[in-house]
Amino acid sequence: MAMDKKVIEDLKKQLLHEKEDLENNLSKIARPINQKEGDYETNFDEIGSDREDNAAEVEQYSENISIETTLEKRLQNIIDALERIEKGAYGICEKCSKEIDLERLKVNPSAKTCISCN
Ligand SMILES: [Zn+2]
């Protein structure tokens, strides 16, 4: 059973919306290295030059790196899902090749695996 085109369109819209949100949030703390692949590098903001400033810079930077890593991972999952839609391979579990339950996709449109393989 192939997935309904209309359903895929809706999920695609959801994915594009999430992608935009993630890109907006990423642009606040990082700059894109390869936007198409969702590859970003965390900005290092200069606060000042004395020791306290430097410590604050490093602290802020490491905090931003961890946020950036999380957002980047989510963005890359979404880009993957959009690619699978283009290839007509969307909604197939990457482990067992069975169809992923639609309800699961509605909650998480970038899911790569079915519930049993999760
Ligand atoms: Zn599976």
Coordinates of all heavy atoms in Angstrom, one line a residue, residues 2-83:
A2 N 0.7 2.1 -1.0 CA 1.5 3.3 -1.1 C 0.8 4.4 -0.3 O -0.4 4.3 -0.1 CB 1.7 3.8 -2.5
M3 N 1.6 5.3 0.2 CA 1.0 6.3 1.1 C 0.3 7.3 0.3 O 0.7 7.7 -0.8 CB 2.1 7.0 1.9 CG 1.6 7.2 3.3 SD 2.9 8.2 4.2 CE 4.0 6.8 4.6
D4 N -0.8 7.8 0.8 CA -1.6 8.8 0.2 C -0.8 10.1 -0.1 O -0.1 10.6 0.7 CB -2.8 9.2 1.2 CG -3.9 9.9 0.5 OD1 -3.6 10.8 -0.3 OD2 -5.1 9.6 0.8
K5 N -0.9 10.6 -1.3 CA -0.2 11.8 -1.7 C -0.5 13.0 -0.9 O 0.4 13.8 -0.5 CB -0.5 12.1 -3.2 CG 0.6 11.8 -4.2 CD 0.3 12.5 -5.5 CE 1.4 12.2 -6.5 NZ 1.1 12.4 -7.9
K6 N -1.8 13.1 -0.6 CA -2.2 14.3 0.2 C -1.6 14.2 1.6 O -1.2 15.2 2.2 CB -3.8 14.2 0.3 CG -4.4 15.1 1.3 CD -4.7 16.5 0.8 CE -5.4 17.4 1.7 NZ -4.8 17.6 3.0
V7 N -1.5 13.0 2.2 CA -0.9 12.8 3.5 C 0.5 13.2 3.5 O 1.0 13.9 4.4 CB -1.1 11.3 4.0 CG1 -0.4 11.1 5.2 CG2 -2.6 11.0 4.2
I8 N 1.2 12.7 2.4 CA 2.6 13.0 2.3 C 2.8 14.6 2.2 O 3.7 15.1 2.8 CB 3.3 12.3 1.1 CG1 3.3 10.8 1.4 CG2 4.7 12.8 0.8 CD1 4.1 9.9 0.5
E9 N 2.0 15.2 1.4 CA 2.0 16.7 1.2 C 1.9 17.4 2.6 O 2.7 18.3 2.9 CB 0.9 17.2 0.3 CG 1.3 17.3 -1.1 CD 2.6 18.0 -1.4 OE1 2.8 19.1 -1.0 OE2 3.5 17.3 -2.0
D10 N 1.0 16.9 3.4 CA 0.8 17.5 4.8 C 2.0 17.3 5.6 O 2.5 18.2 6.3 CB -0.4 16.9 5.5 CG -1.7 17.4 4.9 OD1 -1.7 18.4 4.1 OD2 -2.8 16.8 5.2
L11 N 2.6 16.1 5.6 CA 3.8 15.8 6.4 C 5.0 16.6 5.9 O 5.8 17.1 6.7 CB 4.1 14.3 6.4 CG 3.1 13.4 7.1 CD1 3.4 11.9 6.8 CD2 3.2 13.6 8.6
K12 N 5.0 16.8 4.6 CA 6.1 17.6 4.0 C 6.0 19.0 4.5 O 7.0 19.6 4.8 CB 6.0 17.5 2.5 CG 7.2 18.1 1.8 CD 7.1 18.0 0.3 CE 8.2 18.8 -0.4 NZ 8.1 18.8 -1.9
K13 N 4.8 19.6 4.5 CA 4.6 20.9 5.0 C 5.1 21.0 6.5 O 5.7 22.0 6.8 CB 3.1 21.3 4.9 CG 2.8 22.0 3.6 CD 1.3 22.5 3.7 CE 0.7 22.4 2.3 NZ -0.7 22.1 2.3
Q14 N 4.7 20.0 7.2 CA 5.1 20.0 8.6 C 6.7 20.0 8.8 O 7.2 20.7 9.6 CB 4.5 18.7 9.3 CG 4.2 18.8 10.7 CD 3.6 17.5 11.2 OE1 2.7 16.9 10.6 NE2 4.0 17.0 12.4
L15 N 7.3 19.2 7.9 CA 8.7 19.1 7.9 C 9.4 20.4 7.5 O 10.3 20.9 8.1 CB 9.2 18.0 7.0 CG 9.0 16.5 7.4 CD1 9.1 15.6 6.3 CD2 10.0 16.2 8.5
L16 N 8.9 21.0 6.5 CA 9.4 22.3 6.0 C 9.3 23.4 7.1 O 10.2 24.2 7.3 CB 8.7 22.7 4.7 CG 9.1 21.9 3.5 CD1 8.2 22.3 2.3 CD2 10.6 22.1 3.1
H17 N 8.2 23.3 7.8 CA 7.9 24.3 8.9 C 8.9 24.1 10.0 O 9.5 25.1 10.5 CB 6.5 24.1 9.4 CG 6.1 25.2 10.4 ND1 5.7 26.4 10.0 CD2 6.0 25.1 11.7 CE1 5.5 27.1 11.1 NE2 5.6 26.3 12.2
E18 N 9.1 22.9 10.4 CA 10.1 22.6 11.4 C 11.5 22.9 11.0 O 12.3 23.4 11.8 CB 10.1 21.0 11.8 CG 9.0 20.7 12.7 CD 9.0 19.2 13.0 OE1 10.1 18.6 13.2 OE2 8.0 18.5 13.0
K19 N 11.8 22.7 9.7 CA 13.1 23.0 9.2 C 13.4 24.5 9.3 O 14.5 24.9 9.7 CB 13.2 22.6 7.7 CG 14.5 22.8 7.0 CD 14.5 22.1 5.6 CE 15.7 22.3 4.9 NZ 15.7 23.5 4.0
E20 N 12.4 25.3 9.0 CA 12.5 26.8 9.0 C 12.8 27.2 10.5 O 13.6 28.1 10.7 CB 11.2 27.4 8.5 CG 11.4 28.7 7.9 CD 10.1 29.3 7.4 OE1 9.6 28.7 6.4 OE2 9.6 30.3 8.0
D21 N 12.0 26.7 11.4 CA 12.2 27.0 12.8 C 13.6 26.7 13.3 O 14.2 27.5 14.0 CB 11.2 26.1 13.7 CG 9.9 26.8 13.9 OD1 9.7 27.9 13.4 OD2 9.0 26.2 14.5
L22 N 14.1 25.5 12.9 CA 15.4 25.0 13.4 C 16.5 25.9 12.8 O 17.4 26.3 13.5 CB 15.6 23.6 13.0 CG 14.9 22.5 13.8 CD1 15.0 21.2 13.1 CD2 15.5 22.4 15.2
E23 N 16.3 26.3 11.5 CA 17.3 27.2 10.8 C 17.3 28.5 11.5 O 18.4 29.1 11.7 CB 17.0 27.3 9.3 CG 17.4 26.0 8.6 CD 17.0 26.0 7.1 OE1 16.1 26.8 6.8 OE2 17.5 25.1 6.4
N24 N 16.1 29.0 11.9 CA 16.1 30.3 12.6 C 16.8 30.3 13.9 O 17.6 31.2 14.2 CB 14.6 30.7 12.8 CG 14.0 31.3 11.6 OD1 14.7 31.9 10.7 ND2 12.6 31.3 11.6
N25 N 16.5 29.2 14.7 CA 17.2 29.1 16.0 C 18.7 28.9 15.8 O 19.5 29.4 16.6 CB 16.6 27.9 16.8 CG 15.2 28.3 17.3 OD1 14.9 29.4 17.6 ND2 14.3 27.3 17.3
L26 N 19.1 28.1 14.8 CA 20.5 27.9 14.6 C 21.2 29.2 14.2 O 22.3 29.4 14.7 CB 20.7 26.8 13.5 CG 20.7 25.4 14.0 CD1 20.5 24.4 12.8 CD2 22.0 25.0 14.7
S27 N 20.6 30.0 13.4 CA 21.2 31.2 12.9 C 21.6 32.2 14.1 O 22.4 33.1 13.9 CB 20.4 31.9 11.9 OG 19.2 32.5 12.5
K28 N 20.9 32.0 15.2 CA 21.2 32.9 16.4 C 22.5 32.5 17.0 O 23.2 33.3 17.7 CB 20.1 32.8 17.4 CG 18.8 33.4 16.9 CD 17.7 33.1 17.9 CE 16.3 33.5 17.3 NZ 15.2 32.8 17.9
I29 N 23.0 31.2 16.9 CA 24.2 30.8 17.6 C 25.2 30.2 16.7 O 26.3 29.9 17.2 CB 23.8 29.8 18.7 CG1 23.0 28.6 18.2 CG2 23.1 30.4 19.9 CD1 23.1 27.4 19.1
A30 N 24.9 30.1 15.4 CA 25.9 29.4 14.6 C 25.8 30.0 13.1 O 24.8 30.7 12.8 CB 25.6 27.9 14.5
R31 N 26.8 29.6 12.3 CA 26.7 30.0 10.9 C 26.7 28.8 10.1 O 27.4 27.8 10.4 CB 27.8 31.0 10.6 CG 29.2 30.4 10.9 CD 30.3 31.5 10.6 NE 31.6 30.9 11.0 CZ 32.3 30.2 10.2 NH1 31.9 29.9 9.0 NH2 33.4 29.7 10.6
P32 N 26.0 28.8 8.9 CA 26.0 27.6 8.1 C 27.3 27.4 7.4 O 27.8 28.3 6.8 CB 24.8 27.9 7.1 CG 24.6 29.4 7.2 CD 25.1 29.9 8.5
I33 N 27.7 26.1 7.3 CA 28.9 25.8 6.5 C 28.4 25.2 5.2 O 28.9 25.4 4.2 CB 29.7 24.7 7.3 CG1 30.3 25.4 8.5 CG2 30.8 24.2 6.4 CD1 31.2 24.5 9.4
N34 N 27.3 24.3 5.4 CA 26.7 23.8 4.2 C 25.2 23.7 4.6 O 24.7 22.7 5.2 CB 27.3 22.4 3.9 CG 26.7 21.8 2.6 OD1 25.6 22.2 2.2 ND2 27.4 20.9 2.0
Q35 N 24.5 24.7 4.2 CA 23.1 24.8 4.6 C 22.2 23.7 4.0 O 21.3 23.2 4.6 CB 22.5 26.2 4.1 CG 21.2 26.5 4.9 CD 21.0 28.0 4.9 OE1 21.5 28.8 4.1 NE2 20.1 28.5 5.8
K36 N 22.6 23.3 2.8 CA 21.8 22.2 2.1 C 21.8 20.9 2.9 O 20.9 20.2 3.0 CB 22.4 22.0 0.7 CG 21.5 21.3 -0.3 CD 22.0 21.4 -1.7 CE 21.3 20.4 -2.6 NZ 21.9 19.1 -2.6
E37 N 23.0 20.7 3.5 CA 23.2 19.5 4.3 C 22.9 19.7 5.8 O 23.0 18.8 6.6 CB 24.6 18.9 4.1 CG 24.7 18.3 2.8 CD 26.1 17.7 2.6 OE1 26.9 17.6 3.5 OE2 26.5 17.4 1.4
G38 N 22.6 20.9 6.2 CA 22.3 21.2 7.6 C 23.5 21.2 8.4 O 23.5 20.8 9.6
D39 N 24.6 21.6 7.8 CA 25.9 21.6 8.6 C 26.2 23.0 9.1 O 26.3 24.0 8.3 CB 27.0 21.1 7.6 CG 28.2 20.7 8.4 OD1 28.2 20.7 9.6 OD2 29.2 20.3 7.7
Y40 N 26.3 23.2 10.4 CA 26.6 24.5 11.0 C 27.8 24.5 11.9 O 28.2 23.5 12.4 CB 25.4 24.9 11.9 CG 24.2 25.4 11.1 CD1 23.4 24.5 10.4 CD2 23.9 26.8 11.0 CE1 22.3 25.0 9.6 CE2 22.8 27.2 10.3 CZ 22.0 26.3 9.6 OH 20.9 26.8 8.9
E41 N 28.3 25.7 12.1 CA 29.4 25.9 13.1 C 29.1 26.9 14.1 O 28.6 28.0 13.8 CB 30.7 26.3 12.3 CG 31.9 26.2 13.2 CD 33.2 26.6 12.4 OE1 33.4 27.8 12.1 OE2 33.9 25.6 12.1
T42 N 29.2 26.5 15.4 CA 28.9 27.4 16.5 C 29.7 28.7 16.5 O 30.9 28.6 16.3 CB 29.0 26.7 17.8 OG1 28.4 25.5 17.7 CG2 28.5 27.5 19.0
N43 N 29.0 29.9 16.6 CA 29.8 31.1 16.7 C 30.5 31.2 18.1 O 30.0 30.8 19.1 CB 28.8 32.3 16.6 CG 28.1 32.4 15.3 OD1 28.7 32.0 14.3 ND2 26.9 32.9 15.3
F44 N 31.7 31.9 18.0 CA 32.4 32.2 19.2 C 32.3 33.7 19.4 O 32.9 34.5 18.7 CB 33.8 31.7 19.2 CG 34.5 31.9 20.5 CD1 34.5 30.9 21.4 CD2 35.2 33.1 20.8 CE1 35.2 31.0 22.6 CE2 35.8 33.2 22.1 CZ 35.8 32.2 23.0
D45 N 31.5 34.1 20.4 CA 31.3 35.6 20.6 C 32.3 36.2 21.5 O 32.5 35.7 22.7 CB 29.8 35.8 21.1 CG 28.8 35.5 20.1 OD1 29.0 35.7 18.9 OD2 27.7 34.9 20.5
E46 N 32.9 37.2 21.1 CA 33.9 38.0 21.9 C 33.1 38.9 22.9 O 32.3 39.7 22.4 CB 34.8 38.8 21.1 CG 35.7 38.0 20.1 CD 36.8 37.4 20.8 OE1 37.1 37.7 22.0 OE2 37.5 36.5 20.2
I47 N 33.3 38.7 24.2 CA 32.6 39.5 25.1 C 33.5 40.7 25.6 O 33.2 41.8 25.6 CB 32.1 38.7 26.4 CG1 31.1 37.7 25.9 CG2 31.5 39.7 27.4 CD1 30.7 36.7 27.0
G48 N 34.8 40.3 25.8 CA 35.8 41.2 26.2 C 37.1 40.6 26.3 O 37.3 39.4 25.9
S49 N 38.1 41.2 26.9 CA 39.5 40.6 26.9 C 40.0 40.3 28.2 O 41.1 39.7 28.3 CB 40.4 41.6 26.1 OG 40.3 42.9 26.7
D50 N 39.3 40.7 29.3 CA 39.9 40.3 30.6 C 39.5 38.8 31.0 O 38.8 38.2 30.3 CB 39.6 41.3 31.7 CG 38.1 41.3 32.1 OD1 37.5 40.3 32.0 OD2 37.7 42.4 32.5
R51 N 40.1 38.3 32.1 CA 40.0 36.9 32.4 C 38.5 36.5 32.6 O 38.1 35.4 32.1 CB 40.8 36.6 33.6 CG 42.2 36.0 33.2 CD 43.0 35.7 34.5 NE 42.4 34.7 35.3 CZ 42.9 34.4 36.5 NH1 44.0 34.9 37.0 NH2 42.3 33.5 37.3
E52 N 37.8 37.3 33.3 CA 36.4 37.0 33.5 C 35.6 36.9 32.2 O 34.7 36.1 32.0 CB 35.7 38.0 34.4 CG 35.5 37.5 35.8 CD 35.0 38.6 36.7 OE1 34.0 39.2 36.4 OE2 35.7 38.9 37.7
D53 N 35.9 37.9 31.3 CA 35.2 37.9 30.0 C 35.5 36.6 29.3 O 34.7 36.0 28.7 CB 35.6 39.1 29.2 CG 35.1 40.4 29.8 OD1 34.0 40.4 30.5 OD2 35.6 41.5 29.5
N54 N 36.8 36.3 29.3 CA 37.2 35.1 28.6 C 36.5 33.8 29.1 O 36.1 33.0 28.3 CB 38.7 34.9 28.6 CG 39.5 35.9 27.8 OD1 38.9 36.6 26.9 ND2 40.7 36.1 28.1
A55 N 36.4 33.7 30.4 CA 35.8 32.6 31.0 C 34.3 32.5 30.6 O 33.8 31.5 30.3 CB 35.9 32.7 32.6
A56 N 33.6 33.7 30.6 CA 32.2 33.8 30.2 C 32.1 33.4 28.7 O 31.1 32.7 28.4 CB 31.7 35.2 30.4
E57 N 33.0 33.8 27.9 CA 33.0 33.5 26.5 C 33.1 32.0 26.3 O 32.3 31.4 25.5 CB 34.2 34.1 25.7 CG 34.1 35.5 25.4 CD 35.4 36.2 25.0 OE1 36.4 35.5 24.8 OE2 35.4 37.4 25.0
V58 N 34.0 31.3 27.0 CA 34.1 29.9 26.9 C 32.9 29.2 27.4 O 32.4 28.2 26.8 CB 35.4 29.4 27.6 CG1 35.5 27.9 27.7 CG2 36.6 30.0 26.9
E59 N 32.4 29.6 28.5 CA 31.2 29.0 29.0 C 30.0 29.1 28.1 O 29.3 28.1 27.8 CB 30.8 29.7 30.4 CG 29.8 28.9 31.2 CD 29.5 29.6 32.5 OE1 30.4 30.2 33.1 OE2 28.3 29.5 32.9
Q60 N 29.8 30.3 27.5 CA 28.7 30.6 26.6 C 28.9 29.7 25.3 O 28.0 29.1 24.8 CB 28.7 32.1 26.2 CG 27.6 32.4 25.3 CD 26.2 32.3 26.0 OE1 26.0 33.0 27.0 NE2 25.3 31.5 25.4
Y61 N 30.2 29.6 24.9 CA 30.5 28.9 23.7 C 30.2 27.4 23.9 O 29.5 26.8 23.0 CB 32.0 29.1 23.4 CG 32.4 28.3 22.1 CD1 31.9 28.6 20.9 CD2 33.5 27.4 22.2 CE1 32.3 28.0 19.7 CE2 33.9 26.7 21.1 CZ 33.3 27.0 19.8 OH 33.8 26.4 18.7
S62 N 30.5 26.8 25.0 CA 30.3 25.4 25.2 C 28.8 25.1 25.4 O 28.3 24.0 24.9 CB 31.1 24.8 26.3 OG 30.8 25.4 27.5
E63 N 28.1 26.0 26.0 CA 26.7 25.9 26.1 C 26.0 25.9 24.6 O 25.2 25.1 24.3 CB 26.1 27.0 26.9 CG 24.8 26.8 27.5 CD 24.3 28.0 28.3 OE1 25.0 28.4 29.3 OE2 23.2 28.5 28.0
N64 N 26.5 26.9 23.8 CA 26.0 27.0 22.5 C 26.3 25.8 21.6 O 25.5 25.4 20.8 CB 26.5 28.3 21.8 CG 25.8 29.5 22.3 OD1 24.8 29.4 23.0 ND2 26.3 30.7 22.0
I65 N 27.5 25.2 21.8 CA 27.9 24.0 21.1 C 26.9 22.9 21.3 O 26.4 22.2 20.4 CB 29.3 23.5 21.4 CG1 30.3 24.4 20.7 CG2 29.5 22.1 21.0 CD1 31.8 24.0 20.9
S66 N 26.5 22.7 22.6 CA 25.6 21.6 22.9 C 24.2 21.8 22.3 O 23.6 20.9 21.8 CB 25.6 21.2 24.4 OG 24.6 21.9 25.0
I67 N 23.8 23.1 22.3 CA 22.5 23.4 21.7 C 22.6 23.2 20.2 O 21.7 22.6 19.6 CB 22.1 24.9 22.0 CG1 21.9 25.1 23.5 CG2 20.8 25.3 21.3 CD1 21.8 26.6 23.9
E68 N 23.7 23.7 19.6 CA 23.9 23.7 18.2 C 23.9 22.2 17.7 O 23.2 21.9 16.7 CB 25.2 24.4 17.8 CG 25.4 24.6 16.4 CD 26.2 23.5 15.7 OE1 26.9 22.7 16.5 OE2 26.3 23.4 14.5
T69 N 24.5 21.3 18.5 CA 24.6 19.9 18.1 C 23.2 19.3 18.1 O 22.9 18.6 17.1 CB 25.5 19.2 19.1 OG1 26.7 19.8 19.2 CG2 25.8 17.7 18.7
T70 N 22.4 19.6 19.1 CA 21.1 19.0 19.2 C 20.2 19.5 18.0 O 19.5 18.7 17.3 CB 20.4 19.5 20.5 OG1 21.2 19.1 21.6 CG2 19.0 18.8 20.7
L71 N 20.2 20.9 17.8 CA 19.4 21.4 16.7 C 19.9 20.9 15.3 O 19.1 20.6 14.4 CB 19.5 23.0 16.7 CG 18.9 23.7 17.9 CD1 19.1 25.2 17.8 CD2 17.4 23.4 18.1
E72 N 21.2 20.8 15.1 CA 21.8 20.4 13.9 C 21.3 18.9 13.6 O 21.0 18.6 12.4 CB 23.3 20.5 13.9 CG 24.0 20.3 12.6 CD 25.5 20.4 12.8 OE1 26.1 19.5 13.5 OE2 26.1 21.3 12.2
K73 N 21.3 18.1 14.6 CA 20.9 16.7 14.4 C 19.5 16.6 14.0 O 19.1 15.9 13.1 CB 21.1 16.0 15.8 CG 21.6 14.6 15.6 CD 21.9 14.0 17.0 CE 22.2 12.6 17.0 NZ 22.6 12.1 18.3
R74 N 18.6 17.4 14.6 CA 17.2 17.4 14.3 C 17.0 17.9 12.8 O 16.2 17.4 12.1 CB 16.4 18.3 15.3 CG 16.0 17.5 16.5 CD 15.6 18.3 17.7 NE 14.5 19.2 17.4 CZ 14.1 20.2 18.2 NH1 14.8 20.4 19.3 NH2 13.1 21.0 17.9
L75 N 17.8 19.0 12.5 CA 17.7 19.6 11.2 C 18.1 18.5 10.1 O 17.4 18.3 9.1 CB 18.5 20.8 11.0 CG 18.6 21.5 9.7 CD1 17.2 22.0 9.3 CD2 19.6 22.7 9.7
Q76 N 19.2 17.8 10.4 CA 19.7 16.8 9.4 C 18.7 15.7 9.3 O 18.5 15.1 8.2 CB 21.0 16.3 9.8 CG 22.1 17.4 9.6 CD 23.5 17.1 10.2 OE1 23.7 16.0 10.8 NE2 24.4 18.0 9.9
N77 N 18.0 15.3 10.3 CA 16.9 14.3 10.2 C 15.8 14.7 9.3 O 15.2 13.9 8.6 CB 16.3 14.0 11.6 CG 17.2 12.9 12.4 OD1 17.9 12.2 11.8 ND2 17.0 12.9 13.7
I78 N 15.5 16.0 9.4 CA 14.4 16.5 8.6 C 14.8 16.6 7.2 O 14.0 16.3 6.3 CB 14.0 17.9 9.2 CG1 13.2 17.7 10.5 CG2 13.1 18.7 8.2 CD1 12.9 18.9 11.3
I79 N 16.0 17.0 6.9 CA 16.6 17.1 5.5 C 16.5 15.7 4.9 O 16.1 15.5 3.8 CB 18.0 17.7 5.5 CG1 17.9 19.2 5.8 CG2 18.6 17.5 4.1 CD1 19.2 19.9 6.0
D80 N 16.9 14.7 5.7 CA 16.9 13.3 5.3 C 15.5 12.9 4.9 O 15.3 12.2 3.9 CB 17.3 12.4 6.5 CG 18.8 12.1 6.5 OD1 19.5 12.7 5.7 OD2 19.2 11.2 7.2
A81 N 14.5 13.2 5.8 CA 13.1 12.9 5.5 C 12.6 13.5 4.2 O 11.9 12.9 3.4 CB 12.2 13.3 6.7
L82 N 13.0 14.8 4.0 CA 12.6 15.5 2.8 C 13.2 14.8 1.6 O 12.5 14.7 0.5 CB 12.9 17.0 2.9 CG 12.1 17.8 3.9 CD1 12.8 19.1 4.1 CD2 10.7 18.0 3.3
E83 N 14.4 14.4 1.7 CA 15.0 13.7 0.6 C 14.3 12.3 0.3 O 14.2 12.0 -0.9 CB 16.5 13.4 0.9 CG 17.4 14.6 0.6 CD 18.8 14.4 1.1 OE1 19.2 13.3 1.5 OE2 19.6 15.4 1.0

